[in-house]
């Protein structure tokens, strides 16, 4: 996901690590009924839009 460890989970609490930020993003996606891409799906998507 490429996020920095200094982002906050709550207003007054920084995330412990990137895994906590990813878990929060997954929870938001679940609530919005948005699927999470697998690494293979993401690679395929990125290769489809990669400039020549």
């Amino acid at each position: 996901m490429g996020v920095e460890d200094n982002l906050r989970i709550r207003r007054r609490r920084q995330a412990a690590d990137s895994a906590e930020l990813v878990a929060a993003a997954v929870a938001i996606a679940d609530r919005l009924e948005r699927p999470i891409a697998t690494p293979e799906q993401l690679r395929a998507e990125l290769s489809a839009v990669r400039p020549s």
Side-chain angles (χ1 to χ4, degrees):
M1 189 165 120
V3 292
E4 298 294 330
D5 289 344
N6 62 353
L7 295 179
R8 299 193 182 277
I9 288 293
R10 299 270 185 249
R11 180 171 285 195
R12 297 180 185 213
R13 186 173 78 77
Q14 288 183 331
D17 54 22
S18 291
E20 187 175 10
L21 294 170
V22 171
V26 169
I28 291 168
D30 284 345
R31 279 181 282 201
L32 296 173
E33 298 180 3
R34 300 289 301 176
I36 301 297
T38 66
E40 294 79 19
Q41 290 169 329
L42 182 56
R43 285 185 196 102
E45 288 287 326
L46 292 175
S47 68
V49 296
R50 184 176 297 171
S52 301

